[in-house]
Amino acid sequence: MKHLKKIGFYAAFILPVLLIGGFYLGGWNLMMIHAFVFILVPFLDFLIRTDRVNIPENEISDVSKEQFYRFVTFIWVYVQLVVLVCGFYAVANTPLSLAEWLAFSTGMALVTGGIGITVAHELGHKAEALEQFYAKVLLMTVCYMHFIIEHNRGHHVRVATLEDPATSRFGETFYSFWWRSVKDGYLSALELEKERLHKKGLPARSSQNQMIWFTLLPLAFVGIFTLMFSFMQDRFVWEVPVLFFAQSFFGFSLLELVNYIEHYGMARKLLPNGRYEKVTPLHSWNASHLVSNFLLFQLQRHSDHHAFAYKRYQVLNHYDESPQLPQGYSAMIILALFPPLWFKVMDRRLEDWKEKVGG
């Protein structure tokens, strides 16, 4: 079972195959990747029991050091870059209808946003320079490089408080949350970077301001490939920037859907000293559904991630006492898009959990 679970983390690589295969098969095959993520994965999550098994404490150090798990995330970086460039080539050479554009750009977003940002999130929490670099490369491909600042230095500090843009509030729809989280998250990253530079005695307009580079690099990336394909075809290939920015929008919107799901209604208590209580596994929704956790590198064991952000994905724990989602993220994303259904399912579940833990 241990070796089977290791192989399971390669499930993410099914998505690029479905995307590219679906494009070249054409027609409804463009939706194969969507069917896999939003129909087959939830069905398998429902069919297969949840995985509540944790790595024994005496094995955590050794498993954390296993290069296999890091290798999977490193390989993903190169796969994603190749898939995105193949996407540029495909749209530059193949006329698409509006429906095909929508299917292909959202399918690409499932690769770059659904998996890519998940991998970037994992790597961005690590101290090694190479992992930090790979995280930034992945975030560059979805125009969301500021996430590495706001998430690590903002969200993890302020999670489950009204000060955190990425914590969805009780009774808040995803659509209201999306605007607040996207806007305030970017502004927060600007402020956090300004504070970092101020401590170094540098002005905000310094060349060391990461936010300047994080804004320019995605533009340079898509600009290079637009010029390249335009030169090759002797025309302005508008399809390349359209695909890039469309899949970026859908990609970071997937991230915000996940943010919405992970912390809905969670609130830390404000202590008499004016500080919030320490972040614990009680402050994030948890989901230990086996199949979707393979696909998302155990991101759904989010309770443990927030309590111990330094832990690698392969050693994250399940906690029975954490609030539990009824299904994995694939199903919950669909639910979040329909606020009445979301509130009907989640509000009752939230109240039941609060009664159980005496919250």
Side-chain angles (χ1 to χ4, degrees):
M1 182 63 180
K2 181 179 178 181
H3 295 295
L4 180 62
K5 288 184 72 172
K6 289 178 74 170
I7 295 170
F9 290 118
Y10 277 95
F13 294 94
I14 296 172
L15 269 65
V17 174
L18 292 175
L19 177 69
I20 295 172
F23 182 88
Y24 285 104
L25 289 172
W28 284 102
N29 293 298
L30 273 168
M31 300 298 293
M32 286 196 303
I33 187 171
H34 304 77
F36 176 79
V37 173
F38 296 117
I39 298 176
L40 183 59
V41 170
F43 175 73
L44 292 175
D45 270 343
F46 177 78
L47 201 63
I48 301 172
R49 63 177 178 81
T50 55
D51 173 29
R52 298 173 181 240
V53 177
N54 295 328
I55 301 292
E57 194 170 335
N58 63 333
E59 296 180 21
I60 288 178
S61 178
D62 290 338
V63 175
S64 295
K65 295 173 185 175
E66 284 192 45
Q67 291 300 313
F68 169 88
Y69 297 101
R70 205 174 307 187
F71 179 74
V72 177
T73 58
F74 287 2
I75 288 296
W76 178 265
V77 180
Y78 295 96
V79 169
Q80 177 164 315
L81 288 172
V82 168
V83 169
L84 186 54
V85 174
C86 285
F88 293 160
Y89 177 84
V91 297
N93 290 277
T94 309
L96 299 177
S97 67
L98 182 59
E100 289 170 328
W101 265 104
L102 184 60
F104 190 56
S105 58
T106 53
M108 184 66 75
L110 289 172
V111 172
T112 60
I115 306 299
I117 296 181
T118 300
V119 174
H121 168 264
E122 169 68 20
L123 297 174
H125 272 290
K126 306 304 175 282
E128 292 187 17
L130 183 60
E131 290 178 293
Q132 285 280 313
F133 173 73
Y134 281 154
K136 290 171 185 175
V137 168
L138 290 172
L139 292 170
M140 177 189 67
T141 65
V142 288
C143 300
Y144 229 56
M145 295 185 76
H146 69 279
F147 173 78
I148 203 166
I149 296 175
E150 164 55 21
H151 182 81
N152 291 13
R153 288 151 51 190
H155 175 60
H156 269 263
V157 174
R158 302 179 294 217
V159 65
T161 73
L162 294 177
E163 299 166 16
D164 178 35
T167 295
S168 49
R169 299 162 189 173
F170 179 77
E172 181 178 37
T173 69
F174 163 69
Y175 304 101
S176 296
F177 168 80
W178 182 95
W179 173 247
R180 178 170 59 80
S181 186
V182 171
K183 174 177 65 71
D184 292 353
Y186 186 82
L187 294 175
S188 174
L190 283 172
E191 190 61 32
L192 287 167
E193 187 63 1
K194 182 179 176 182
E195 290 174 8
R196 184 184 71 85
L197 292 169
H198 179 72
K199 290 177 182 177
K200 289 186 171 186
L202 296 171
R205 294 184 180 181
S206 165
S207 61
Q208 293 187 41
N209 188 327
Q210 294 182 96
M211 288 298 288
I212 295 174
W213 294 106
F214 288 175
T215 301
L216 295 177
L217 284 171
L219 298 177
F221 176 78
V222 69
I224 288 169
F225 283 101
T226 300
L227 288 173
M228 183 190 304
F229 282 104
S230 295
F231 178 77
M232 290 167 60
Q233 298 203 11
D234 197 27
R235 68 178 180 89
F236 174 63
V237 182
W238 56 267
E239 296 92 340
V240 169
V242 168
L243 175 63
F244 179 73
F245 290 115
Q247 64 85 29
S248 292
F249 172 82
F250 290 121
F252 69 69
S253 293
L254 271 174
L255 164 67
E256 297 300 350
L257 271 162
V258 169
N259 277 334
Y260 179 79
I261 292 163
E262 288 170 339
H263 302 290
Y264 178 72
M266 295 289 103
R268 285 191 281 154
K269 294 175 183 176
L270 188 63
L271 303 175
N273 63 4
R275 295 177 178 271
Y276 287 99
E277 64 178 317
K278 182 182 176 182
V279 178
T280 73
L282 300 180
H283 297 120
S284 305
W285 287 93
N286 193 71
S288 286
H289 297 82
L290 185 66
V291 176
S292 48
N293 262 325
F294 279 150
L295 200 63
L296 297 171
F297 299 95
Q298 297 209 124
L299 177 67
Q300 298 176 146
R301 289 190 168 189
H302 208 62
S303 302
D304 196 28
H305 167 69
H306 264 280
F308 307 101
Y310 62 87
K311 292 177 71 173
R312 292 190 176 272
Y313 71 90
Q314 65 266 29
V315 296
L316 290 174
N317 283 339
H318 166 87
Y319 292 99
D320 285 328
E321 62 269 30
S322 298
Q324 303 294 322
L325 292 171
Q327 279 295 313
Y329 286 1
S330 290
M332 298 308 295
I333 282 172
I334 299 298
L335 195 67
L337 293 173
F338 299 93
L341 293 177
W342 172 267
F343 295 142
K344 185 175 181 180
V345 172
M346 291 301 295
D347 287 1
R348 182 178 66 249
R349 204 172 190 89
L350 179 61
E351 292 303 323
D352 290 345
W353 175 77
K354 284 183 177 180
E355 288 183 16
K356 181 180 175 181
V357 298

